[in-house]
Every structure is written in structure tokens, then in C-alpha cells.
Amino acid sequence: MPAVEDVARAYDEAAADPAFIHAHENLLRDYVGRPSPLTEAKRLSDMLGVRIFLKREDLNHTGAHKINHTLGQILLAQRLGKERIIAETGAGQHGVATATACALMGLGCVVYMGAVDVDRQALNVQRMQLLGAELITVKSGSQTLKDAINDAFRDWAARPYDTYYCIGTVTGPDPYPRMVRDFQSIVGREVKQQLGSISPDLLVACVGGGSNAIGLFHPFLESDIAMVGVEAGGRGMSPGDHGATLTMGSKGVLHGTSTYMLQNDDGQVIETHSISAGLDYPGVGPEHAALKTSGRVDYYSVSDAEALAAFRLLTKLEGILPALESSHALAWIIREASFLKGKTVVMNLSGRGDKDLGILAENRDSV
Amino acid sequence: MINSAFRQCRDKNEAALITYFPGGYPDLDTSLDIIKSMADAGADILEIGVPFSDPVADGPVIQAAAQKALEQGISLKRLLEGLSEYDMGKPVLLMSYLNPLIAYGETLMADARSASVSGFIIPDLPVDEAAFFSDKATEQSLDLILLAAPTSSEKRLTAIAKNSRGFIYTVSRTGITGQGGAGIENVKPLVRSLKSKTDTAVAVGFGVDGPEAAGAIAGFADGVIVGTRLIRAFDAGEDVAALVRELKDATLRRSAQ
């Protein structure tokens, strides 16, 4: 798609333009509230015998890391002279972040969201609508994130001239994976600075498409610090019951990128399940596929139930409600705590969990 | 096969009619019977869709047909097996997204060839990524047909013109399949531009919603591709073969160009 070539060209120019970088940094500081704190979770650390630092992306304006890359992309869209922004969303965090950036810049915003996700993320739906976004409920296929991406691509194919597609993760055709990674790398850069003389043994983040994880990992890739990405193990390891693309999937081509995906023997994409809408995606960013292949990052999965338990534990011990997505990263640390004794771990707390209270209530008896 | 189909049409002063229908819709046998009836009714080239779970270039009609076909258990393997038992009498092309082709494995080209397939149309395979696939196709004398769009840059059009085999699939306008309407002649400058770059045939598809549009395109392109309209006709219980005859009739050029 030539529209993609335009974005790549514009991004390469913008990334080398100090005025563009400065404008993005200013917004991150004055509008998002960066830098986000690095909180040592002392009671949790005491309980597990693991020293845990939480990177508090939940404290960003709009409540998740997504705002970091949406502001960058919307600045780029402005540079391209686009007046209409489209986005897909799973949990609604990327949709809210895009609608917020559009409200701030006075741009039109259309958000595609699977019907299943519209139902389970009602609060974010309301937020997007208040922010002035037009919400389109996607009823094709599995009615979740991948189908919302399909419809966003169809929209863009029909209106390439006035529209910019603000993709919500590190997937899609070039330049999206590297562009979204660059905008998210502020997370890891801040962590580096905030740690000072402390040197962590391990970085942990949840992986759906992989934007928050790559944001934390990327500035540390040259170091010898271990890294773990945690995927959605859902309700079991049978096809259709999880979203564990890297741990259970195989190589293929989806949404304009060559990566790991969940598919059957005929190359048809399999529907996924996760209690967290943001991890309910059968693909993953191609850079994560490369990091798995090279062995630089290890990928594991945790179940819905483990994530719910982690959500409750962090809330009780630290007074922090983590998003169900981020709860997956925490659940892995809790499960593996006996192997991590005495280690220092940095976890990306990628978003806040207020949006998930309805799901917590529905699953009150699950643990 | 594809080249000679276009040559025969040119000799008769007509544009080639290329019909699209999804394999396995509503079930494998019915789809192959319909496609055979299209061949008998005058279609010059038969494009058979390989259903995919995530058809991003397609509108709601083809999406729904693909989903139904998948629910009936269609796969590329079953489609090729089914095709082997038919003599369509006209060249057959597979229109498939890339992933089912990759998943099929190493025997794809040989199996396609033994099922009398003449080539592939792959909407999510851009020209700059196509070499690995077209080299394998060429080894089995199969054509890889590339797509050109109104948004394609001059540089890209040049590469498409140089590398497309059989014909160039020109997308009539920005957007997805099955959105018809006025203004299909707007693709004319793009067709002319491609024809100035190559002797390869140039066909136009996306949004060709009936004989009138087909006739307009036949006036300036070498081929006309019709898909969604045929599925709609089938869904509505219309006589699909009769529609194909009408479409073919519209591609005959009554006055010399």
C-alpha cells in the first residue's frame, strides 16, 4: 500500500528532525505526565522474596502506555496533513489514547472495536465516545481485535488520501513495528535512569501485540539483563482457548507482517481467548518473533485465573489496581518466585485496572 | 495459458471476461459446478477464491462467502483435489491471501499444476516481496499476477509492469471488493499508463457491478474481472450463467478501437 510508504518516508524524516522529537517529548512531559514513577513494591517483594520494581505506566494520562505512541503517531499524521484518524482497539486503551490525542489536536477519529470487546469494555467505549470518537462495532470473524484491524485496513484502503491509520501495537507493515517501538522506548530509557546504580536481573512485561514489552526491553537489548515476555494462556492450551502466539504459534503472514501467529494447518487464523481484551490477538509484533528466535527474550504464558489472582494480590498488598493485561506479567513473577529469590526484577505495569472491575466482579469465585 | 486466452480475445476484438467465485461456497461441489457453468457460459478465465479467515482486501459479500466456505471445512488442499476432478475447459487462477499458500508447503506449485491451475493472484503480496514466490511459480510455468492500484507510485507501477505474468490486475479505485458505482472509467489513465510500460495484458476489477460497467472497461482494457456481483446473483437465486452470458456479451467490442 502506497499509503504505508508515505508513512515510512514521513517517519524517517520526522525521526531525524529535532523539532518533531522535541514536540513529542514536550507532550509526554506536559500532557501525559512523564516520566512515570518507578515504584518499588515493598510488601509484595517481602512476600515473594523477590525485589520488584513496577514501571508505572498506569499513572500516565489515559491510564496506560498506549498514549506514548498515539501522541507520536498523531504528530506524524499532522505532518502528513491528514485530518481523519482511524484506529483499532482491543481493551479500549489504544482507542481511548487515540481519541484523546485526536481531541487534543482537533482531528476526526474513528475507532474500530470488535463486538465482543465493546461488551466487555463498556467503560472505555463510553470514554471514547465522550472524547468525540466515532465507534464502529466490528461484527465480522471472531469480533475481537484482529477483526477490528481487518476493518481498519479496509477503511484505510478506501480512504488513503485523507486518513492516517494509527496502529495500536508493534505489528503491521513497516514502519509501524519500529515506529511504535521507538515511541514506546521512552519506558525503558526512563527505567534505566530511574534505577541509577541498581542493576536488575530481569525485565518482565506482558505481550499481546507487544508494544509495552518492546518499550521496556528495547533500550536494554544490548545489555546482559534477562527478559521475559508473558502471553495470555487463557483457559487452557487447546487451540482457541488462549492467545499465546509465541509460545504456541507458528510462522506466517498476518496484517502485512511476517511473524508468529496462531493458525491451523491450512493457514487459517485461529480465534483466541483471553480474559484481557488487550492480549486477545492471534499475531504478535515481528520484532518479538525475532527476539524469540535469537533467544534474547524468553516467552511464557499464564492463565486467566493466575492473572486474576495477581490482580487481587497487587491491589491488596500495594494499593495498585493493575490492568488485567499487566496482571499477566505479575502472575508470571508470582508463579516463578521460588526461582527468582533474591533477584531484582523490573516489571512494566502497562496500565491501570479500573476498566477491568466488571470482569473481576464476574469472576469473583474463580480463585 | 493466460497469455493465450488474452491473445484469442484480442484476435476476436473482445476483452477477456474473468469471473471470480469462492471455492467451497456454499460447498465444494456446488462451487465447482457453478464455476464450470461460468466457463460454459463464456467466461474466458476462471478466478477461484481460496477462502481465508482474514480477507482484508474484500468487502462484506466475499467475506461472508469465505466464512461460510470455511465453516463447511474447505481448505486449499481439498479445493485442489476437487479441481483435479474437473475439466473446466478454461484457464484457472487461484486468488489467495499469502498465508494459506505458505501454510500449504513445498508441494504447492506442483500440486497446483497437476490440478490444472495456471497461476495465482495474491492481494497481500506486494511487488517488492514477490520474488521468492514468483520464482517458484515460474519453475512450474505458473503465472503470478500482480495488482496495481490508483495509489501505486510510478516506480511501483514500473516494477509491477515488469514483473507481472499473464496479466496485470488493475484495481479500479481505492477500497475493497464489491463496492460498485459510477466512475469506473476513472481507472482509464492508470490502464493507459500500464499499457505504455508493457505488452502484458491489463485487466480491471473491483466494483464491476454489471454488464454496463464491464462494457465500459472493455473499451480500454484487455480484460474485465467480476466477482461480488456473481456471488450476489447466486445468493439471490438469479441465473448466474445467464448473467455471465450478458457480461461476456458486454465485452465484445462492436466497433474497432
Side-chain angles (χ1 to χ4, degrees), chain A residues 1-3 5 9 139-142 146-147 149-151 153-161 251-256 261 263-271, chain B residues 50-59 63 67 70 73-77 98-104 124 126 128 149-153 156 173-176 179:
Chain A
M1 270 173 84
E5 291 176 347
R9 206 175 306 118
K139 291 185 175 141
S140 60
S142 60
K146 86 173 170 75
D147 309 283
I149 295 176
N150 290 343
D151 268 6
F153 271 120
R154 291 178 184 121
D155 178 312
W156 204 21
R159 294 185 66 170
Y161 301 111
K251 285 177 183 169
V253 173
L254 179 66
H255 295 142
M261 54 194 277
Q263 56 185 325
N264 68 16
D265 291 343
D266 299 325
Q268 305 294 340
V269 181
I270 294 176
E271 295 184 4
Chain B
V50 178
F52 183 47
S53 52
D54 294 80
V56 288
D58 287 303
Q63 283 176 47
Q67 200 162 338
L70 288 172
I74 192 65
S75 65
L76 179 52
K77 193 166 185 297
L98 190 52
N99 203 53
L101 299 178
I102 295 172
Y104 190 93
D124 58 347
D128 28 2
T151 48
S152 301
S153 64
R156 191 163 274 270
R173 38 151 188 70
T174 56
I176 51 180
Q179 296 170 326

Side-chain angles (χ1 to χ4, degrees), chain A residues 78-342:
Chain A
Q78 275 190 324
R79 210 177 154 98
L80 281 159
K82 308 286 185 180
E83 290 169 352
R84 178 175 177 266
I85 307 297
I86 57 171
E88 85 293 340
T89 197
Q93 290 304 122
H94 175 65
V96 166
T98 306
T100 300
C102 289
L104 178 69
M105 310 282 191
L107 297 170
C109 182
V110 176
V111 179
Y112 288 88
M113 190 169 186
V116 170
D117 295 334
V118 170
D119 281 346
R120 62 180 163 178
Q121 299 289 345
L123 194 64
N124 274 343
V125 167
Q126 200 187 350
R127 286 169 80 192
M128 285 185 272
Q129 285 167 337
L130 283 169
L131 288 159
E134 181 191 345
L135 189 89
I136 299 182
T137 304
V138 176
K139 291 185 175 141
S140 60
S142 60
Q143 311 190 359
T144 59
L145 182 55
K146 86 173 170 75
D147 309 283
I149 295 176
N150 290 343
D151 268 6
F153 271 120
R154 291 178 184 121
D155 178 312
W156 204 21
R159 294 185 66 170
Y161 301 111
D162 70 341
T163 298
Y164 176 87
Y165 181 14
C166 183
I167 297 184
T169 189
V170 283
T171 191
D174 184 74
Y176 285 96
R178 63 186 166 95
M179 174 169 70
V180 173
R181 174 200 70 200
D182 292 349
F183 289 145
Q184 286 296 348
S185 293
I186 182 82
V187 174
R189 289 201 305 273
E190 285 177 5
V191 167
K192 238 180 191 178
Q193 207 162 31
Q194 289 164 325
L195 281 169
S197 60
I198 301 167
S199 95
D201 301 294
L202 180 67
L203 309 179
V204 183
C206 64
V207 176
S211 61
N212 91 80
I214 211 82
L216 174 63
F217 295 167
H218 191 258
F220 291 95
L221 284 176
E222 302 299 316
S223 75
D224 56 3
I225 299 167
M227 301 179 190
V228 165
V230 185
E231 298 189 302
R235 57 192 166 218
M237 284 292 117
S238 303
D241 282 347
H242 62 85
T245 308
L246 287 161
T247 39
M248 300 294 287
S250 53
K251 285 177 183 169
V253 173
L254 179 66
H255 295 142
T257 193
S258 173
T259 185
Y260 272 75
M261 54 194 277
L262 293 168
Q263 56 185 325
N264 68 16
D265 291 343
D266 299 325
Q268 305 294 340
V269 181
I270 294 176
E271 295 184 4
T272 51
H273 163 80
S274 171
I275 197 159
S276 76
L279 304 183
D280 206 346
Y281 177 58
V284 67
E287 193 168 352
H288 284 292
L291 290 169
K292 175 191 163 77
T293 304
S294 73
R296 179 65 188 91
V297 180
D298 292 320
Y299 296 89
Y300 302 99
S301 67
V302 301
S303 68
D304 286 350
E306 289 173 303
L308 285 165
F311 184 114
R312 293 195 176 95
L313 186 68
L314 191 70
T315 304
K316 275 196 182 139
L317 286 184
E318 301 289 343
I320 297 170
L321 279 72
L324 272 172
E325 289 76 13
S326 327
S327 300
H328 281 70
L330 183 61
W332 183 85
I333 296 170
I334 294 168
R335 188 175 75 195
E336 304 299 330
S338 60
F339 302 102
L340 300 173
K341 286 260 185 278

Side-chain angles (χ1 to χ4, degrees), chain B residues 8-22:
Chain B
Q8 283 169 26
C9 288
R10 201 175 303 149
D11 291 347
K12 290 187 283 183
N13 194 30
E14 53 187 70
L17 174 66
I18 303 160
T19 55
Y20 170 95
F21 202 79

Side-chain angles (χ1 to χ4, degrees), chain B residues 4-82:
Chain B
S4 63
F6 276 98
R7 205 174 310 119
Q8 283 169 26
C9 288
R10 201 175 303 149
D11 291 347
K12 290 187 283 183
N13 194 30
E14 53 187 70
L17 174 66
I18 303 160
T19 55
Y20 170 95
F21 202 79
Y25 178 70
D27 58 68
L28 182 58
D29 291 343
T30 309
S31 67
L32 294 175
D33 286 344
I34 293 166
I35 291 161
K36 172 74 178 150
S37 78
M38 290 176 177
D40 295 342
D44 298 296
I45 296 169
L46 308 168
E47 189 187 331
I48 302 182
V50 178
F52 183 47
S53 52
D54 294 80
V56 288
D58 287 303
V61 172
I62 293 179
Q63 283 176 47
Q67 200 162 338
K68 175 96 190 278
L70 288 172
E71 284 161 12
Q72 301 294 312
I74 192 65
S75 65
L76 179 52
K77 193 166 185 297
R78 284 194 60 208
L79 179 58
L80 288 176
E81 284 165 4

Side-chain angles (χ1 to χ4, degrees), chain B residues 51-240:
Chain B
F52 183 47
S53 52
D54 294 80
V56 288
D58 287 303
V61 172
I62 293 179
Q63 283 176 47
Q67 200 162 338
K68 175 96 190 278
L70 288 172
E71 284 161 12
Q72 301 294 312
I74 192 65
S75 65
L76 179 52
K77 193 166 185 297
R78 284 194 60 208
L79 179 58
L80 288 176
E81 284 165 4
L83 260 176
S84 310
E85 289 164 21
Y86 272 75
D87 178 10
M88 290 293 179
K90 299 282 174 64
V92 169
L93 294 172
L94 293 181
M95 192 312 258
S96 177
Y97 291 84
L98 190 52
N99 203 53
L101 299 178
I102 295 172
Y104 190 93
E106 285 299 315
T107 60
L108 171 67
M109 299 300 169
D111 291 354
R113 194 171 158 74
S114 45
S116 300
V117 169
S118 297
F120 297 91
I121 300 167
I122 309 174
D124 58 347
L125 182 62
V127 61
D128 28 2
E129 305 280 353
F132 87 98
F133 195 92
S134 65
D135 290 351
K136 284 186 184 164
T138 306
E139 280 171 23
Q140 293 284 344
S141 307
L142 296 167
D143 290 327
L144 176 62
I145 289 114
L146 297 172
L147 288 88
T151 48
S152 301
S153 64
E154 191 59 27
K155 190 176 147 206
R156 191 163 274 270
L157 290 176
T158 303
I160 292 164
K162 186 169 164 238
N163 292 297
S164 195
R165 298 283 171 269
F167 68 95
I168 299 168
Y169 191 130
T170 310
V171 177
S172 67
R173 38 151 188 70
T174 56
I176 51 180
T177 57
Q179 296 170 326
I184 204 131
E185 321 73 53
N186 293 342
V187 73
K188 201 168 169 175
L190 176 57
V191 172
R192 291 250 189 268
S193 163
L194 287 165
K195 289 180 79 67
S196 73
K197 294 175 178 26
T198 176
D199 293 331
T200 306
V202 177
V204 173
F206 279 43
V208 182
D209 58 4
E212 198 182 327
I217 290 165
F220 58 85
D222 303 308
V224 181
I225 306 155
V226 187
T228 299
R229 176 70 186 90
L230 294 168
I231 301 169
R232 282 213 173 100
F234 172 78
D235 288 345
E238 290 173 38
D239 183 342
V240 177

